């Protein structure tokens, strides 16, 4: 029989690239593992949610469950969209596997939420140790003024001050900022030795990196540290030399050196058609499919959300990003976080892994 | 540049689905002075607007010196020598008086707008003002002057005296008569003030419900108070 | 005390003295014409009086009340109503709706959010009467955008009538109306309450002389003459500045 | 008097046609209920947005106020209802709707004070500024609003203690349908009333209206308050039905999209707002489920086509047909 | 002091870039009375063309810029003929509907042809480095953008206010039928003006690409910004648009230096304040 999986993501709109990466991850998983689990065939039903729009997310999710009869829900790029869908899960008896949305609290919204991506806390925290190891004492934080930005700021400040560092200033800049020169001026004036920055992956990062260089910060040795959203592989081509040498911490780099990743990248770029478009949401989707397949197997194709979620608690496997497991307590993925450096390899720019923080949980999670 | 002959045959026209003109035929010789009269809403303005190419034409022909105007748009007709002073004045509100006049110059040099100032000294005083700020009568002067600057061979005047002080009316009608009688323009005039119209015209056409119902000379008409009363409704 | 009084009204546009120390007063029942060359400042005078433009100096009084600082709307409530030189109507509405709305406004019911004017017999009756006087009944329910200009001018008068003002200012009510229909306007004006004061701007001298008991002549912003029609017609200065051949 | 009898029938005829329209809408609602039991959530959402679009019709279609910031009123209703439920434990759905309506009306009042200061283009820009400031504020006060993560934890109690807001969304759907009918009937009354006529007149020539002695500014403010109440109700309905409120409820995008729906349907007759919303969202949904990757292009083609072939909106097509077949008459 | 000067320089540069990108819109919106929400889409097309020419074909920036402007101008004629001509004089909301539709279509096509990723335009070395302006350094491309802005402002002002083409354009917009009746070729005047506006959009897209990077949603992302600066300046007024851009640029730059956490608060407050005081924009054309 056929088991339907409803995937909600941004397949159009300004985050369409990330939606495509969801799809690439799913297709890569099919390419490597086939479309069947036992004698159950998996059918994916896509629903487009171009921007954070919880009302629409609830409507689409409900329609997937009631109308299409999906047994699994997956995807969800933005936090509010996942939050809006979560209240439906118990009544619908459907588990939800979050491919991306990165706020710690999502897993608390329903016991049927499992997450295979990362949280902003998880990727931001290790950067504090990196900075301390490099002898940096004074840091200024600069983040986009929205949920993930403030999460990232809080996570970093906590870790950095715990390790004895000093935060000289914290700047939150509006999402719509296009001219970063005044911000760079602030950074200069603050006397910090380094900047910790968080910006969502996308067009803004280009202007930010460029301003950083043009305002002479790079030249004067003020290091730029950030979670990997700022240097996602699909933007690196444009960021180019401006980003060279920049340090980021993240759960996945396309350049990760492992047989699992080679196979994954090959399958995913094969589907995408353009190697430059591959980015981190694909691996969240790929591993999400792994989790869903495991659930299908464990429940024998029956619709039993409780049993399905129970079956993956503590599940361990080797993902393209490295060894991972599902934390039984909060159903969030435990994984390595890598320190990477932007470098040129041949003709293209990559995030080169130079250090590993193993088995990182979500430091931002608080038990409800 | 000399006056043009106008010939209209079986013209029907209107706005959208509504027909207003129901088959109008008339001809005006070069340098003729024709007054088009009729009660409110009979289609006088519509006739002029149709000649100028601004309404929807359903059928019929308009020839100016033998040249068929119907195939041309409004702008081409103007360049062929047609001048139209509409009833609503159509001042360019956001242009200054001077710029309004420039817009009417066609290809003539800018210095020639002095002609207009000579005709209406009042406009020269107000030349830096926006068209929209002018008084009603000043706007009327401006629209007439603007069209005359383009040296049309055939001039359509739709109630050019509306809102003008009596003393200016006299001067203006004298100027129109001069333009026609020296053979420079053929003039068609719609005017509510019958006296002015009769003094000016050598020929009168009366419309009713989109049709020509009477033609003749002003003299004929003045001798026929019954017709005047019936068709123009004067003197109840 | 006069019903309506303007004292020392002045206004400049840039360097131009459009209204220059003008004083005029009207008593109940007055029928006054304001004439003068184009650009003399007649329309501006009306705009100043109705509050559409702020004067530089001067006072406007209605029935003893100083309205100089009031909004145009408040002046209407004080009894001062005007018509416009270029018709200003609501193109998508019918003559009936126009008049009904003015009546409702006068009755203070125009802001009622429930009900329909067509179910108010007193409004309907008065509307029908006014439209009847102006010969507009046949087109009472057509859109104003499609009716002839002359009829629009008549409707302007109808609106003013519906408001039952104490003082009525008419800016060229007959412009664009053929001589045949000026009769309708005159008829409408005749039907106005006798204690109403009317000030009319008009270039049609036949009409002016039939209508006015008194004529005020404005030139370059200044009142140059104030007298009976016969006196005006005889005044050489007015003849030269304004009347031209008409006086003959 | 015979006149009396005649005018009574005019009034009755108006009411009767409204009731027939209501019956028709109700009938369509029943058909939709059985035809797409799985799409109730979507239908509820359509109705919530419809309320927003109706409310824009009041100020834009009737009053001629140019606005691209109307979602501020919708968002005010949504957040007020959501905050009442999530932070103050007011979970009775009807109470939440009431709170949303009041908040919308207040927001309408406040934003009208800003927006009515301009005309045309500058008005448009003021309205954009309003929505941007509202969004900025909601983002800033994230302890109350949840910021960009959205306000969750809204759990409305059963309607009248009897009907739960369940997975299938039946309760929300019928609640939405009833609200829509009530709002529709009230608005029909308002737009036909002298007040409605005055608002239409203001759109055509505000100076003339003030020369008649009728208030312009305060009339529009009043209309804005009514409009705000309707939009706020829509927002609150959305909060009750989806149990989450996001910043998108306060976005320029939502405002602009709602205006597009209105123009698509046709302005100033209420039906246009309803038809436009339904067609736009339904079309968007249809195209995006058939091809989630290129639907934007197709929606663009729809909009351009409508302007080229039905410039008065979809309800304008009906008028055009009526004109063509000569049943013209009054109006 | 140092800081103030520095902020001033940033504000000036930012304001001028805004000006270059949005001035074309001031022409369509203020002079041609078309609320062209697709303005950004044309800027984006310009950006894509320049990116393609400089990156894929490896040609010089100047070639890329010229190619971008030409491409858009050539594109403008058929688009004006087939689409925009239908909405001249239509109610604003209809124009909004049509131009948003066009924007959607262009976005869809851009996404399909160029892919969803960011595109950059290769700058020549002369525009790449920082330039020392005494008290600080500033990116050369910003100075370039400011210079282009100044040149465009002057040229356009002259064209509109002083030439007979400008008078014809303004007359045509004011009353198309009457302009035609005076012998003005209104259709040609409209097409040419539209093409100029679109050419300016393309130029702005290219010159401003360092600040507003080229990607498929460019047109939607910056739509509001363009609308706001044009209206605050007074649509159709070149000096007005310039002043508005500089003023709003200064507000935004200062705001994001001093109180970045308040985001766009000050920007939009300033907009409200200015528009409330000048309802036709800073130097709006009298109605
Ligand atoms: N733009 C228009 N759309 C529809 N109908 C119109 C339009 N303009 C005029 N009409 C109608 O056409 C008819 C003729 O109008 P027209 O203006 O030609 O009359 P006219 O003889 O010039 O009258 P007047 O003496 O009032 O100027 C009138 O019934 C009028 O209602
Ligand atoms: N807003 C303004 N700015 C500058 N000048 C103005 C303004 N409004 C009117 N004027 C000028 O003031 C003068 C008086 O105008 P007004 O409209 O009062 O004249 P009028 O007496 O009504 O003339 P008409 O009989 O021609 O209607 C005119 O010369 C006009 O150009
Ligand atoms: Mg006429
Ligand atoms: Mg006047």
């Amino acid at each position: 029989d056929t088991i339907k999986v409803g995937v909600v993501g941004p397949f159009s709109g300004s985050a369409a690239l990330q939606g495509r990466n969801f799809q690439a991850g799913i297709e890569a998983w099919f390419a490597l593992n086939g479309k069947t689990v036992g004698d159950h065939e998996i059918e994916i039903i896509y629903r487009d949610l171009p921007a954070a729009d919880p009302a629409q997310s609830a409507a689409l999710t409900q329609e997937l469950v009631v109308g299409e009869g999906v047994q699994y829900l997956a995807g969800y790029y933005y936090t509010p969209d996942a939050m809006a869908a979560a209240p439906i899960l118990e009544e619908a008896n459907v588990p939800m596997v979050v491919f991306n949305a990165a706020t710690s609290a999502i897993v608390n919204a329903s016991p049927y939420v499992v997450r295979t991506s990362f949280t902003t806390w998880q990727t931001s925290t290790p950067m504090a140790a990196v900075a301390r190891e490099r002898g940096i004492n004074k840091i200024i934080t600069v983040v986009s003024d929205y949920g993930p930005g403030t999460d990232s700021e809080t996570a970093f400040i906590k870790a950095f001050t715990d390790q004895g560092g000093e935060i000289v200033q914290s700047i939150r800049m509006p999402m719509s900022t296009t001219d970063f020169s005044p911000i760079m001026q602030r950074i200069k004036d603050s006397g910090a030795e380094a900047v910790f920055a968080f910006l969502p992956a996308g067009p803004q990062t280009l202007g930010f990196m460029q301003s950083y260089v043009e305002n002479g910060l790079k030249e004067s040795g003020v290091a730029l540290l950030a979670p990997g959203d700022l240097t996602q592989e699909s933007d690196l081509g444009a960021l180019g030399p401006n980003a060279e040498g920049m340090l980021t911490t993240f759960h996945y780099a396309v350049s990760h050196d492992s047989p699992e990743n080679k196979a994954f990248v090959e399958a995913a770029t094969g589907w995408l058609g353009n190697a430059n478009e591959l980015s981190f949401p694909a691996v969240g989707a790929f591993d999400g499919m792994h989790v869903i397949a495991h659930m299908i197997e464990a429940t024998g194709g029956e619709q039993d959300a409780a049993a399905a979620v129970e079956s993956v608690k503590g599940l361990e496997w080797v993902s393209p990003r490295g060894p991972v497991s599902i934390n039984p307590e909060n159903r969030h993925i435990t994984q390595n976080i890598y320190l990477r450096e932007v470098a040129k390899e041949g003709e293209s720019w990559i995030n080169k892994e130079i250090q590993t923080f193993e088995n990182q949980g979500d430091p931002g999670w608080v038990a409800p | 540049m000399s006056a043009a002959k106008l010939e209209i045959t079986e013209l029907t026209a209107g706005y959208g689905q509504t027909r207003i003109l129901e088959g109008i035929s008339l001809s005006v010789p070069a340098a003729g002075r024709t007054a088009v009269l009729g009660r409110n809403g009979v289609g006088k303005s519509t006739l002029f607007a149709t000649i100028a190419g601004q309404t929807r034409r359903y059928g019929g022909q308009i020839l100016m010196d033998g040249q068929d105007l119907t195939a041309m748009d409004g702008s081409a007709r103007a360049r062929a020598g047609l001048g139209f002073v509409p009833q609503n004045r159509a001042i360019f509100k956001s242009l200054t008086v001077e710029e309004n006049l420039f817009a009417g110059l066609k290809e003539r040099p800018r210095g020639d707008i002095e002609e207009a100032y000579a005709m209406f000294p009042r406009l020269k005083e107000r030349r830096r003002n926006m068209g929209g700020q002018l008084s009603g009568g000043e706007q009327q002067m401006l629209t007439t002057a603007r069209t005359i600057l383009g040296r049309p061979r055939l001039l359509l005047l739709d109630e050019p005296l509306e809102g003008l002080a009596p003393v200016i009316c006299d001067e203006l009608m004298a100027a129109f008569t001069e333009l026609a009688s020296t053979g420079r323009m053929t003039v068609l005039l719609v005017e509510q003030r019958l006296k002015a119209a009769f003094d000016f015209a050598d020929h009168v056409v009366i419309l009713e419900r989109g049709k020509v119902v009477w033609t003749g000379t002003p003299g004929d008409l003045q001798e026929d108070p019954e017709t005047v009363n019936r068709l123009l409704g004067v003197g109840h | 005390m006069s019903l309506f009084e303007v004292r020392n009204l002045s206004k400049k546009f840039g360097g131009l003295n459009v209204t220059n120390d003008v004083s005029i007063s009207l008593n109940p029942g007055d029928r006054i014409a304001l004439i003068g060359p184009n650009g003399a400042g007649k329309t501006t005078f009306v705009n100043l009086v109705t509050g559409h433009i702020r004067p530089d100096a001067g006072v406007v009084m209605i029935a003893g009340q100083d309205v100089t600082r009031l909004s145009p709307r408040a002046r209407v409530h004080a009894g001062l109503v005007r018509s416009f030189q270029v018709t200003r109507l609501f193109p998508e509405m019918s003559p009936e709706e126009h008049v009904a709305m003015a009546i409702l406004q006068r009755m203070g019911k125009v802001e009622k959010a429930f009900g329909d004017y067509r179910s108010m017999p007193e409004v309907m009756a008065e509307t029908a009467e006014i439209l009847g006087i102006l010969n507009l009944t046949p087109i009472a329910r057509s859109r104003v955008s499609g009716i002839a200009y002359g009829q629009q001018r008549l409707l302007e008068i109808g609106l003013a009538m519906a408001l039952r003002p104490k003082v009525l200012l008419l800016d060229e009510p007959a412009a664009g109306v053929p001589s045949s229909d000026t009769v309708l306007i005159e008829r409408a004006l005749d039907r106005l309450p006798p204690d109403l004061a009317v000030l009319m701007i008009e270039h049609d001298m036949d009409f002016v002389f039939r209508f006015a008991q008194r004529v005020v002549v404005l030139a370059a912003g200044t009142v140059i003459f104030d007298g009976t029609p016969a006196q005006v017609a005889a005044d050489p200065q007015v003849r030269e500045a304004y009347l031209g051949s008409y006086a003959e | 008097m015979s006149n009396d009898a005649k005018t009574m029938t005019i009034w009755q005829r108006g009411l009767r046609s409204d009731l027939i329209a209501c019956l028709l809408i109700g009938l369509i609602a029943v058909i939709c209920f059985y035809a797409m039991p799985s799409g109730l959530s979507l239908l509820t959402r359509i109705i919530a947005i419809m309320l927003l679009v109706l409310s824009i019709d009041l100020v834009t279609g009737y009053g001629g106020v140019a606005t691209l910031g109307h979602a501020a009123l919708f968002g005010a209703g949504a957040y007020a209802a959501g905050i009442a439920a999530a932070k103050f434990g007011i979970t009775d759905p009807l109470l939440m709707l009431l709170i949303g309506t009041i908040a919308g009306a207040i927001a309408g009042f406040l934003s009208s004070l800003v927006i009515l200061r301009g005309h045309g283009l500058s008005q448009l820009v003021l309205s954009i500024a309003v929505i941007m400031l509202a969004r900025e504020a909601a983002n800033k006060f994230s302890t109350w609003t949840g910021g960009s993560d959205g306000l969750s934890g809204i759990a409305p109690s059963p309607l009248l203690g009897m009907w739960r807001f369940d997975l299938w969304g039946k309760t929300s759907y019928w609640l939405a349908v009833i609200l829509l009918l009530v709002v529709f009937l009230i608005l029909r009354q308002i737009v036909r009333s002298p007040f409605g006529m005055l608002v239409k007149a203001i759109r055509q020539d505000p100076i003339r209206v003030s020369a008649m002695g009728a208030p312009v500014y305060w009339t529009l403010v009043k209309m804005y308050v009514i409009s705000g109440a309707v939009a706020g109700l829509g927002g609150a309905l959305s909060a009750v039905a989806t149990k989450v409120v996001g910043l998108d409820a306060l976005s320029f995008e939502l405002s602009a999209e709602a205006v597009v729906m209105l123009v698509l349907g046709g302005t100033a007759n209420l039906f246009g707002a309803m038809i436009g919303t339904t067609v736009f969202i339904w079309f968007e949904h249809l195209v995006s489920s058939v091809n989630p990757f290129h639907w934007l292009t197709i929606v663009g083609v729809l909009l351009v086509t409508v302007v080229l072939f039905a410039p008065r909106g979809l309800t304008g097509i009906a008028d055009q047909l009526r004109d063509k077949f000569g049943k013209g008459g009054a109006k | 002091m140092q800081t103030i000067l520095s902020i001033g320089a940033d504000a000036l540069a930012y304001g001028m870039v805004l000006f270059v990108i949005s001035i074309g819109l001031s022409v369509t919106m203020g002079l041609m009375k078309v609320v062209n929400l697709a303005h950004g889409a044309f800027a984006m097309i310009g950006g894509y063309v320049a990116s393609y020419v400089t990156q894929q074909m490896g040609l010089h920036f100047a070639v890329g810029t010229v190619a971008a402007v030409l491409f858009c101008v050539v594109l403008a004629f058929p688009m004006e003929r087939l689409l925009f001509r239908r909405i001249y004089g239509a109610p604003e909301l209809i124009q909004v509907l049509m131009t948003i539709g066009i924007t959607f279509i262009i976005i869809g096509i851009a996404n399909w042809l160029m892919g969803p990723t960011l595109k950059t335009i290769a700058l020549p070395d002369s525009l790449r480095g920082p330039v020392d302006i005494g008290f600080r350094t500033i990116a050369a491309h910003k100075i370039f953008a400011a210079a282009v802005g100044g040149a465009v402002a002057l040229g356009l002002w002259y064209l509109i206010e002083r030439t007979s083409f400008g008078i014809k354009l303004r007359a045509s917009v004011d009353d198309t039928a009457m302009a035609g009746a005076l012998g003005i070729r209104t259709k040609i005047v409209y097409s040419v003006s539209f093409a100029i506006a679109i050419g300016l959009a393309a130029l702005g897209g290219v010159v401003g690409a360092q600040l507003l990077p080229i990607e498929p949603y460019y047109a939607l992302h910056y739509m509001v910004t363009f609308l706001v600066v044009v209206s605050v300046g007074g649509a159709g007024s070149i000096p007005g648009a310039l002043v508005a851009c500089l003023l709003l640029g200064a507000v935004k730059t200062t705001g994001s230096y001093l109180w970045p956490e308040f985001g766009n608060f000050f920007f939009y407050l300033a907009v409200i304040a200015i528009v409330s005081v000048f309802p036709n924009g800073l130097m709006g054309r009298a109605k």
Side-chain angles (χ1 to χ4, degrees), chain B residues 38-41 87 89 122 125-126 135-139 141 159 162-168 170 192-195 232-234 236, chain C residues 16 36-40 85-86 148-151 172 175-181 183 203-205 239-246:
Chain B
R39 296 178 191 236
N40 240 193
Q87 184 171 13
R89 297 168 185 163
R122 181 84 201 156
E125 287 168 36
R126 321 281 322 127
S135 83
E138 288 164 347
Q139 293 193 354
M141 300 173 200
E159 305 199 19
E162 185 189 317
L164 290 182
V167 60
I168 308 255
D170 299 346
Q192 306 287 6
R193 304 181 196 192
L194 294 185
K195 184 172 172 300
L232 302 177
V234 177
H236 336 206
Chain C
L16 186 75
N38 296 117
Q85 178 169 1
V86 178
Y149 189 67
Q151 291 172 318
E172 300 198 27
V177 181
S179 353
S180 54
D181 289 356
V183 177
H203 290 295
D204 179 345
M205 285 302 118
R239 287 174 94 156
E240 200 206 327
Y242 184 68
L243 290 177
S245 67
Y246 185 84

Side-chain angles (χ1 to χ4, degrees), chain E residues 13 31 73 83 93 103 130 143 151 163 184 211 232 251 268 283:
Chain E
L31 293 175
V73 165
L83 298 175
L93 291 179
T103 310
I143 298 180
T163 64
I184 295 172
L211 224 50
V232 166
V251 170
Y268 285 106
M283 302 190 182

Side-chain angles (χ1 to χ4, degrees), chain B residues 15 20 39-46 87 159 192, chain C residues 146-148 150:
Chain B
Y15 305 92
I20 308 288
R39 296 178 191 236
N40 240 193
V42 296
K44 305 179 296 289
S45 299
T46 308
Q87 184 171 13
E159 305 199 19
Q192 306 287 6
Chain C
I147 70 178

